[in-house]
Amino acid sequence: MAEENVTFTLPDLGEGLVEATVLEWQVAVGDRVERNAPLVEVETTKSAVVIPSPKEGRIVELHAEEDEVVAVGAPLVTFAVEAEAPQAGIVGRVPTEEARPARRVRLKPPTD
């Protein structure tokens, strides 16, 4: 199956934090990782946390060195993951214009 590269950015770690310092990478380029396996330990002004891997795949690139400050939303790591199989689409045709109602609806009750 084909592989595609997916870049994971530093997530928002909460409480208004806008950056984190990379303390220690738990993986190296070329390693295969499972989803939720330890990926990187980062330190914010509040605490040190280990960020788990959001994907299963092979590490292609680490975008930050240890002791480097990374902004929230900046690239952190790139994975090579198996490309997902195409999803089934709509069977048939999609109408291009709205069909007219087949039945009339009375808005006022009949007066007898």
Side-chain angles (χ1 to χ4, degrees), residues 16-96:
L17 301 172
V18 295
E19 63 185 19
T21 303
V22 174
L23 292 181
E24 181 182 2
W25 283 103
Q26 308 291 318
V27 295
V29 173
D31 288 354
R32 288 207 58 81
V33 294
E34 298 291 323
R35 187 167 190 259
N36 292 327
L39 185 64
V40 62
E41 183 177 9
V42 297
E43 181 180 46
T44 66
T45 55
K46 305 265 183 184
S47 65
V49 295
V50 174
I51 297 175
S53 175
K55 301 276 184 190
E56 177 180 333
R58 182 176 44 85
I59 302 296
V60 175
E61 183 179 357
L62 303 176
H63 294 278
E65 300 291 326
E66 291 182 357
D67 297 323
E68 185 176 335
V69 176
V70 178
V72 169
L76 194 58
V77 63
T78 298
F79 299 91
V81 297
E82 288 187 15
E84 293 187 18
Q87 299 293 319
I90 297 173
V91 177
R93 67 178 187 84
V94 177
T96 56

Side-chain angles (χ1 to χ4, degrees), residues 5-17:
N5 287 348
V6 176
T7 299
F8 174 61
T9 59
L10 180 65
D12 180 1
L13 300 170
E15 299 183 16
L17 301 172

